[in-house]
Amino acid sequence: MTPSSNLKAFADSITATTSPFRSYLSDLHRQYLPLTDGAVADYIPELALADPSWFGIAAATVDGQVFEVGDCDQTFTVQSISKAFVYGLALEDHGRDYVNSKVGVEPTGEAFNAIVLDEATNRPYNPMVNAGAIATADLIKGKDGTERLKRMLDMFSRYTGRSHDIHVPVFLSEKATGNRNRAIAYLMLNFGMVSDRIDETLDLYFQQCSILVTARDLSLMAATLANGGINPVTGDRALDQRYVQDVVSVMLTCGMYDSSGDWAYRVGMPAKSGVGGGITAVAPGKLGIGTFSPPLDAKGNSVRGIQVCQTLSQDFGLHPFNAAAPPRDLAAWINGSEGTNSW
Ligand code: GLN
């Protein structure tokens, strides 16, 4: 960091602690902490260890301010949230036409782990369901599993500005219990939709689900997409500008499992959730939101996370199709003054 970027980071950290937006997020946290609906994922024992009261809300603006309330440093496994970002890496590795020939962009309305392929093309429907995510992981280049995993971890680091590890017990449990994912992978292999290094790719998929992140990381990942692929804090490019729209569009149509339509209707921010309890949500050109709260609804989405995103969307007009003036002006709340609205 240069001295001037140090100074900027210092100034931003002051804003981040004194801004009215921070108080607003604290109020949201207080409002939804008592919400105890939902259940922590327990399909593997490691996830069942999560404390249902963990709750973090983070927001990062496209000019690099980060706001954090609650458990924003608590690590958890990224799970399905990885799917959106790995899709971006596959697009960079192969370009849109080739990736589209292997994975569609159509919502399924089915559960994320459904064993279903498009009958006409044998493609998985989209990269956010397990079939599509495994086909996408297959596309990640590298001479062996180690190099392919390293490329994924490096990509996550560009989005978050820090290094990442996998949670080995979660990886081993995903692998030990992952027969359904193996069935999906071998079905795709039967149709020639994935390469024959399928066991290595399944390991890679289980590893990508086991990468440890925080709510702060998720806010920066979303803010990077909101900022055209450049991490707004480090200035590093995480995703080629050409593919940002592709990733964000698929998040909007398919990112919240089989409640993506409901989410688009109520919240509208392109988002991706994971069974570890995380949600990453993008307000293009404005900010990224990361929430963490392990109890999930019946569709696999974090109950508190949904409420937080829906309330933020309504209060600040973050639904992309909302043309009405929002109840609150985001820039004014962040900067603590009216009249500096630069959005
Ligand atoms: N790792 C889990 C699986 O592949 C799912 C991840 C998720 O968040 N849905 O089944």
Side-chain angles (χ1 to χ4, degrees), residues 264-310:
Y265 187 82
R266 291 175 201 283
V267 182
M269 283 183 281
K272 186 72 203 86
S273 64
V275 294
I279 297 179
T280 188
V282 184
K286 296 177 182 165
L287 81 169
I289 295 160
T291 63
F292 169 52
S293 167
L296 310 175
D297 67 11
K299 309 266 183 175
N301 297 316
S302 165
V303 173
R304 291 192 189 101
I306 292 174
Q307 293 304 322
V308 167
C309 291
Q310 183 170 333

Side-chain angles (χ1 to χ4, degrees), residues 7 11 41 48-49 65-66 115 118 171 179 189 199 204 222 224 230:
L7 206 60
L49 296 175
Q65 300 182 63
V66 185
I115 304 183
D118 181 329
F171 160 56
N179 287 330
L189 181 61
D199 291 321
L204 189 62
T224 299
I230 294 178

Side-chain angles (χ1 to χ4, degrees), residues 174-230:
E174 294 278 359
K175 181 174 163 126
T177 60
N179 287 330
R180 194 179 175 97
N181 286 323
R182 269 187 284 278
I184 294 170
Y186 277 90
L187 183 64
M188 293 192 294
L189 181 61
N190 172 66
F191 288 125
M193 298 305 288
V194 289
S195 68
D196 58 9
R197 55 179 179 179
I198 195 64
D199 291 321
E200 182 185 295
T201 290
L202 277 161
D203 273 359
L204 189 62
Y205 171 72
F206 296 134
Q207 285 163 337
Q208 80 175 58
C209 288
S210 310
I211 293 170
L212 287 165
V213 293
T214 63
R216 176 189 167 90
D217 293 333
L218 296 183
S219 73
L220 288 166
M221 288 154 65
T224 299
L225 292 174
N227 191 39
I230 294 178

Side-chain angles (χ1 to χ4, degrees), residues 28-39 51-55 292-297 301-311:
L28 268 192
H29 190 271
R30 207 169 305 117
Q31 183 182 350
Y32 292 121
L33 187 59
L35 185 62
T36 54
D37 297 349
D51 182 340
S53 72
W54 280 334
F55 184 23
F292 169 52
S293 167
L296 310 175
D297 67 11
N301 297 316
S302 165
V303 173
R304 291 192 189 101
I306 292 174
Q307 293 304 322
V308 167
C309 291
Q310 183 170 333
T311 307

Side-chain angles (χ1 to χ4, degrees), residues 158-181:
R158 289 194 295 277
Y159 278 98
T160 65
R162 72 179 189 93
S163 62
H164 289 273
D165 296 311
I166 66 164
H167 189 282
V168 174
V170 168
F171 160 56
L172 294 175
S173 276
E174 294 278 359
K175 181 174 163 126
T177 60
N179 287 330
R180 194 179 175 97
N181 286 323

Side-chain angles (χ1 to χ4, degrees), residues 2 26 81 94 101 119 124 217 230:
T2 61
S26 297
I81 298 171
H94 297 277
S101 76
E119 276 185 17
D217 293 333
I230 294 178

Side-chain angles (χ1 to χ4, degrees), residues 43 79-80 83 112-113 130 174 181 205 209 257 273-276:
Y43 68 93
Q79 295 290 351
S80 283
K83 293 168 178 172
F112 66 89
N113 57 1
N130 287 11
E174 294 278 359
N181 286 323
Y205 171 72
C209 288
Y257 304 125
S273 64
V275 294

